[in-house]
Amino acid sequence: MKSIYSLFVYLFIFICAGSLVPDTEVPPTGRIYHETYGCQMNVNDMEIVLSIMKNAGYGEIVSVPESAEIIFINTCAIRDNAEQKVWQRLNYFWFLKRHWKSNVATGRSQSMRPPKVVVLGCMAERLKEKILDSDKMVDVVCGPDAYRDLPRLLEEVDYGQRGINTLLSLEETYADINPVRISKNSVTAFVSVMRGCNNMCSFCIVPFTRGRERSRPVESIVREVAELWKEGVKEVMLLGQNVNSYNDASGIEREVESGSNWKLSEGFSSMAKVKNMGLRFSDLLDRLSSEFPEMRFRFTSPHPKDFPDDLLYLMRERHNICKLIHLPAQTGSSTVLERMRRGYTREAYLDLVQKIRSIIPDVALSSDFICGFCGETEEEHSETLTLIKAVGYDMAFLFAYSMREKTHAHRNYVDDVPEEIKQRRLAELIETFRESTGQCFDSQIGTTQLVLVEGPNKRAPDTELMGKSDKGHRVLFVNMPIPDREDINTKRNPVVGDYVEVHITRSTRASLFGEALAITKLTSFDNNLDKEAAACSM
């Protein structure tokens, strides 16, 4: 009797909903809405999730949560602010689910049934018990290594269960999955080359939410990049939690003495030892830059310890490996670096900066900094300020420290810097950075930069275009007909995906402005630079 009664109730709800929801064809599996917080790796992970769901029959994606039967929220656990934003969104999704009938009746919701709410990513791994205990707010919790299990977990919800899989893997890289690109018709894309992290920095939770390092085979990455090239992608960002420690041992399986022959940056050390040494990050970049000469390559997020000389010389030689290096310092104090377990000193870091600039003279540098780490004194903080001034970064990401559970710092240190002092120090970091970054941007005035057009300038969409230079600087210029180097008799307006030579005329602390000279190709621009350099040396 109960099953028959339940059937009548379900039919009644379905008929009522049908009279209130617009007459559109909704797949039986339901429509998906997704949100992503955190790093570029999370964006790429969501593309992997959408591919898995598409193969399982969940093909339709909607732009608002009110129209979805399944809501994915991909989370970040690196800092407390990111987690608080996620909880706010979960509260709203819970409202859409719990008050579905009244929401449909008032027109707030257009979903065919109460949405299933799915939490993905690092926060899912870190706070799984708390999330599942939050008054039935969430139906499925799925960690970064368990995305293949999502269709089964969603089916369990239909049987009254809540699905959870947060197991970490030593092997999962999703190498065989072709991601569903979130940004359609984009000329840039993310490609994940490795997952996890072995560094065990005392402030960082990534090894506990993402697991240990494992790298995709080179061949699988080359295949994915080849597909992107066919789709019109002109620039690829290679992703990994410690991207330049990439180590594809799948085809070489060469046993080495623990830590031997694994070249680190001079003066740097690592807690992790390599047992099977295979193809390294420079090998991967060599292969990609050779096979796709008209495609630009960037990478993030690296660790300073993994910049051996061969990688730096390769970056100098290849025109399509962008001359922007992210070099996370975290602090300018050797004593704080020791507490952070970073494996280097202030002096070693500055020596590496000098080496990078001697090998790649026109390189741009960016960095990460944390202020207010456990026990940080005013003197240690001032050392960070002087490091920022000494290096002169083009870009930087600056944060006040927030303690994360499970980390070495949580187990061994005390978060003893008051919040008001953290915020004051953060403001000082920001001001110091702004003073130095202006010089980096001003130095570009008078130069000609190769800019990949990404779209119209939002502030002047009808008259200006926006793109990024090799160094990652945002460049704005007037949209007007200019010569095409490949067809000397043609003048046309640049379009998204074109490489444009732009003469830089002025700068701010965030953007460069210039005059578009010509549309060209990546290799052609590089060849012209070589000819100019040869002429100057004669």
Side-chain angles (χ1 to χ4, degrees):
M1 284 295 291
K2 284 186 177 182
S3 60
I4 296 175
Y5 175 76
S6 299
L7 178 61
F8 277 116
V9 170
Y10 175 80
L11 288 173
F12 175 75
I13 293 173
F14 183 80
I15 292 169
C16 290
S19 66
L20 294 168
V21 177
D23 186 19
T24 57
E25 185 177 343
V26 177
T29 49
R31 298 165 295 187
I32 292 174
Y33 170 79
H34 60 87
E35 287 183 5
T36 295
Y37 295 85
C39 63
Q40 294 99 325
M41 180 67 83
N42 276 6
V43 175
N44 185 248
D45 275 7
M46 181 56 75
E47 294 176 335
I48 290 169
V49 166
L50 294 178
S51 178
I52 291 169
M53 298 305 294
K54 181 179 180 181
N55 291 335
Y58 298 78
E60 186 172 345
I61 300 171
V62 294
S63 59
V64 293
E66 294 81 4
S67 297
E69 286 73 43
I70 300 169
I71 297 175
F72 287 126
I73 181 165
N74 198 5
T75 62
C76 176
I78 298 299
R79 294 173 184 88
D80 185 61
N81 285 344
E83 287 192 359
Q84 294 309 314
K85 290 178 183 177
V86 170
W87 282 113
Q88 291 172 9
R89 291 300 284 163
L90 285 176
N91 277 317
Y92 179 65
F93 299 154
W94 174 85
F95 165 76
L96 291 180
K97 181 170 68 168
R98 183 157 184 170
H99 300 282
W100 174 72
K101 288 183 183 179
S102 59
N103 288 334
V104 170
T106 59
R108 179 188 290 271
S109 290
Q110 290 80 44
S111 59
M112 294 297 294
R113 51 187 177 271
K116 301 173 185 176
V117 179
V118 183
V119 174
L120 306 171
C122 295
M123 192 171 161
E125 169 62 34
R126 193 177 90 81
L127 296 173
K128 46 186 175 287
E129 291 86 2
K130 184 178 180 181
I131 293 171
L132 286 173
D133 290 342
S134 55
D135 195 23
K136 298 183 179 179
M137 183 182 289
V138 173
D139 300 288
V140 173
V141 174
C142 187
D145 291 347
Y147 296 145
R148 294 180 194 270
D149 201 26
L150 275 168
R152 182 190 67 82
L153 295 174
L154 286 165
E155 286 183 8
E156 287 190 356
V157 178
D158 294 332
Y159 293 97
Q161 304 295 319
R162 280 191 288 176
I164 179 170
N165 188 342
T166 57
L167 295 176
L168 293 176
S169 170
L170 294 175
E171 299 176 350
E172 181 61 86
T173 62
Y174 301 109
D176 61 320
I177 292 177
N178 189 22
V180 172
R181 301 297 166 188
I182 293 173
S183 181
K184 302 298 182 184
N185 301 319
S186 175
V187 294
T188 63
F190 299 128
V191 173
S192 173
V193 303
M194 58 86 68
R195 302 177 72 85
C197 184
N198 292 343
N199 291 327
M200 303 301 291
C201 301
S202 62
F203 58 83
C204 187
I205 196 172
V206 166
F208 303 98
T209 59
R210 291 264 180 185
R212 298 296 178 262
E213 290 180 9
R214 61 273 189 201
S215 300
R216 287 177 59 182
V218 168
E219 293 300 331
S220 73
I221 298 167
V222 172
R223 283 196 301 270
E224 184 173 345
V225 172
E227 289 298 319
L228 292 173
W229 175 251
K230 291 177 183 177
E231 294 170 11
V233 170
K234 295 292 184 68
E235 181 177 292
V236 164
M237 174 77 82
L238 304 177
L239 299 178
Q241 270 77 33
N242 185 179
V243 66
N244 54 338
S245 70
Y246 177 87
N247 177 32
D248 172 21
S250 62
I252 297 180
E253 294 297 341
R254 181 153 51 95
E255 286 281 344
V256 298
E257 183 182 344
S258 185
S260 69
N261 299 322
W262 186 261
K263 293 181 181 178
L264 298 176
S265 307
E266 190 174 346
F268 288 70
S269 62
S270 175
M271 295 176 62
K273 302 302 180 183
V274 178
K275 293 183 179 179
N276 295 316
M277 188 171 72
L279 297 174
R280 295 204 62 185
F281 191 59
S282 56
D283 299 309
L284 174 63
L285 274 181
D286 182 20
R287 176 82 181 272
L288 291 173
S289 60
S290 298
E291 293 199 20
F292 305 97
E294 294 294 338
M295 180 180 275
R296 268 182 177 169
F297 293 96
R298 303 184 188 275
F299 56 91
T300 198
S301 180
H303 191 288
K305 69 179 175 61
D306 291 305
F307 279 100
D309 290 0
D310 62 331
L311 175 57
L312 297 175
Y313 283 113
L314 180 71
M315 291 186 67
R316 182 183 70 181
E317 293 166 5
R318 297 296 165 81
H319 67 276
N320 55 341
I321 301 177
C322 292
K323 307 307 182 283
L324 168 62
I325 290 181
H326 189 58
L327 206 64
Q330 305 302 353
T331 176
S333 166
S334 292
T335 52
V336 178
L337 285 168
E338 185 176 0
R339 293 200 296 276
M340 287 181 168
R341 304 205 300 183
R342 290 289 287 172
Y344 54 89
T345 62
R346 172 193 175 97
E347 292 72 26
Y349 182 90
L350 287 172
D351 287 345
L352 177 60
V353 169
Q354 184 177 5
K355 173 181 278 192
I356 289 172
R357 284 181 166 156
S358 67
I359 295 175
I360 315 172
D362 200 31
V363 71
L365 297 178
S366 61
S367 193
D368 297 336
F369 286 96
I370 298 172
C371 66
F373 183 67
C374 306
E376 185 186 63
T377 64
E378 287 297 331
E379 182 180 357
E380 290 168 335
H381 168 63
S382 67
E383 289 181 290
T384 300
L385 299 179
T386 58
L387 182 77
I388 292 175
K389 292 177 182 178
V391 174
Y393 296 99
D394 294 70
M395 287 161 273
F397 302 92
L398 312 170
F399 306 96
Y401 175 67
S402 58
M403 180 76 82
R404 304 282 83 190
E405 294 178 7
K406 296 184 180 180
T407 61
H408 177 83
H410 184 259
R411 295 192 303 270
N412 295 277
Y413 302 143
V414 178
D415 187 7
D416 55 357
V417 179
E419 187 60 30
E420 61 272 18
I421 293 180
K422 288 180 182 179
Q423 293 306 316
R424 188 257 299 167
R425 291 177 182 174
L426 178 60
E428 291 175 359
L429 287 185
I430 293 171
E431 182 56 32
T432 302
F433 165 71
R434 284 178 175 170
E435 291 173 0
S436 63
T437 193
Q439 300 172 10
C440 296
F441 277 74
D442 288 346
S443 68
Q444 303 302 296
I445 296 175
T447 66
T448 298
Q449 299 293 319
L450 186 63
V451 176
L452 175 61
V453 180
E454 295 183 359
N457 177 13
K458 292 182 180 179
R459 293 187 178 181
D462 297 327
T463 58
E464 291 184 353
L465 291 172
M466 184 276 294
K468 286 191 177 66
S469 69
D470 179 272
K471 295 183 178 181
H473 295 146
R474 185 170 178 262
V475 181
L476 304 171
F477 58 92
V478 174
N479 185 1
M480 57 184 292
I482 55 176
D484 188 332
R485 299 281 191 209
E486 303 304 310
D487 185 352
I488 58 174
N489 298 317
T490 298
K491 270 192 172 185
R492 65 177 177 87
N493 289 62
V495 297
V496 173
D498 278 338
Y499 285 109
V500 177
E501 298 174 18
V502 179
H503 179 71
I504 305 302
T505 56
R506 66 186 180 93
S507 78
T508 66
R509 291 177 177 176
S511 300
L512 298 173
F513 300 82
E515 176 188 357
L517 303 178
I519 299 165
T520 187
K521 285 187 175 182
L522 198 55
T523 49
S524 300
F525 182 78
D526 182 62
N527 290 335
N528 289 336
L529 288 181
D530 289 342
K531 290 177 183 177
E532 291 175 7
C536 291
S537 63
M538 293 178 64

